[in-house]
Amino acid sequence: MLDIFYESPWFALITGIPVCVLLIAIWFQTGIHKILLATGVVAAITIAMVVLESVVKTPRERIYETIYAVAAAVEKEDFETAVGYIAPDAQFIRAQALAELNKYEIVSISIKNNLVVLIDDSQQPPVAQTGFNVVVKGSAQRFHIENRTVPRYLEVTFQYHAGNDAWYVTSYGHANILKGLEIEHRLREQGAE
C-alpha cells in the first residue's frame, strides 16, 4: 500500500501544495507567525516526500525500467544486452529470444500505457507477471516483410534474484491484441496494477 507513495510524487504534491497555500492565506489574514512556521514545516515535508519518491525504487518501478531497457536494447539491435535481462539459468529462453530477434530488423518499439504488474511475494524468490501492448515497426527479409507496423500483446514473467538485486525474465510470450485483452483482464482480476 505504501508503494503508491513511492511510485508517484503527485500524492505529496497534491496534498502539500494546497495545504501550504491555505496556511499562507490564513497567515495573511491573521498575521500569526506560528502559521508561517507551520507552512515551512509542511513545505519541508512535501519536498522530503518528493525526494524520497525519486530515491526509492519499488519492485514495480524496477520491472518497468527493465522492460524499457530491453526495448531500448532491441531497438539498437543490441540483442546480447536485451537477452542479458533473461534469468541466467534460463538458457533455453535466452536461445529462443535470440533466435526470434535475429529474424527481424526492428526500427522501433512503442510500449503502450496499459502495462500492468502482478507481484507474488508469497513465492520465494518473488515472481511478477506483466502484460502490456507494444507496437513494433520493422522488417523481416526472410519472410519478405518490409516496414510493417505490428501491434502485439506481451506477457512476461519476472523472478527476483537477491544475489544480483535484479528482476530477470523467466518466460515470455506474445499474442494478438484480442487475446491480450483476455490476458490483461485475467491479470487485473488477480490484482495487477
Side-chain angles (χ1 to χ4, degrees):
M1 182 62 179
L2 286 178
D3 281 355
I4 214 162
F5 294 106
Y6 294 131
E7 291 178 356
S8 173
W10 293 112
F11 294 104
L13 295 172
I14 288 172
T15 305
I17 292 173
V19 170
C20 285
V21 169
L22 179 64
L23 289 172
I24 289 172
I26 293 170
W27 176 71
F28 275 128
Q29 294 294 319
T30 64
I32 300 171
H33 293 296
K34 287 184 180 179
I35 293 176
L36 195 56
L37 179 63
T39 303
V41 170
V42 170
I45 291 171
T46 302
I47 291 168
M49 289 178 69
V50 170
V51 169
L52 182 65
E53 181 278 329
S54 68
V55 171
V56 173
K57 295 290 183 196
T58 65
R60 184 179 329 282
E61 288 175 316
R62 294 180 69 203
I63 290 167
Y64 280 25
E65 288 173 354
T66 301
I67 290 168
Y68 282 97
V70 169
V74 170
E75 283 180 334
K76 294 176 188 170
E77 295 186 6
D78 185 358
F79 300 150
E80 287 300 321
T81 297
V83 299
Y85 292 98
I86 296 174
D89 58 347
Q91 293 302 319
F92 176 77
I93 301 297
R94 187 178 293 238
Q96 176 186 342
L98 270 175
E100 192 169 350
L101 287 170
N102 282 316
K103 293 179 187 177
Y104 306 102
E105 293 107 36
I106 296 171
V107 175
S108 69
I109 299 173
S110 174
I111 298 169
K112 299 307 175 184
N113 62 2
N114 68 330
L115 174 55
V116 293
V117 178
L118 177 63
I119 298 174
D120 184 357
D121 287 323
S122 68
Q123 294 189 43
Q124 286 307 318
V127 172
Q129 292 179 321
T130 66
F132 53 96
N133 286 338
V134 296
V135 175
V136 179
K137 293 180 184 177
S139 304
Q141 298 302 329
R142 64 177 14 164
F143 302 117
H144 306 292
I145 298 171
E146 292 286 332
N147 297 324
R148 186 170 288 168
T149 300
V150 180
R152 299 298 287 167
Y153 188 86
L154 290 180
E155 184 175 20
V156 184
T157 303
F158 289 85
Q159 185 177 59
Y160 180 70
H161 286 245
N164 297 344
D165 189 29
W167 288 88
Y168 287 106
V169 174
T170 56
S171 68
Y172 73 93
H174 49 90
N176 65 47
I177 300 300
L178 292 177
K179 181 68 175 171
L181 288 172
E182 294 174 24
I183 296 167
E184 181 179 358
H185 180 70
R186 175 182 48 82
L187 287 171
R188 287 193 187 276
E189 277 186 340
Q190 295 173 345
E193 297 175 26

